[in-house]
Amino acid sequence: RSSLVNLSVTGAQLVMPACVQPRQSVLLTLVDHTAEKRLRALVAWSTVELAHSEIKYRAGVSFVDPDTSIIEGFCRRNVRPAS
């Protein structure tokens, strides 16, 4: 299971347990209380991180032919105030 760090209509930043490589195709599923939407994406970049003695992978992905209205709706429903 991956953690969503940042989301826009063109792509996302994720922290995940599995290693991914640039140009690798991935499937991202956005889930909230009203919808579940699968989006195809390509890995743009990836790095390895050590957090609490666990190896994690951070990656930026670019969506392939995204439905921007669905992504915008997800963002509106899940916005968090800046701290």
Side-chain angles (χ1 to χ4, degrees):
R1 184 171 185 119
S2 299
S3 297
L4 182 63
V5 175
N6 196 345
L7 177 67
S8 74
V9 295
T10 59
Q13 185 180 150
L14 309 165
V15 173
M16 60 192 73
C19 180
V20 292
Q21 299 295 322
R23 296 183 302 283
Q24 181 178 338
S25 180
V26 294
L27 186 63
L28 175 67
T29 305
L30 298 177
V31 179
D32 68 10
H33 63 280
T34 63
E36 182 174 308
K37 177 65 178 167
R38 287 183 176 80
L39 302 165
R40 290 183 306 130
L42 289 175
V43 176
W45 57 268
S46 64
T47 62
V48 178
E49 297 181 351
L50 183 62
H52 306 289
S53 65
E54 283 185 80
I55 294 177
K56 301 275 184 169
Y57 302 90
R58 185 176 296 263
V61 299
S62 178
F63 296 131
V64 176
D65 195 25
D67 184 334
T68 57
S69 63
I70 288 178
I71 298 168
E72 287 170 344
F74 183 89
C75 289
R76 278 192 300 276
R77 290 189 305 274
N78 295 282
V79 67
R80 291 189 181 159
S83 48

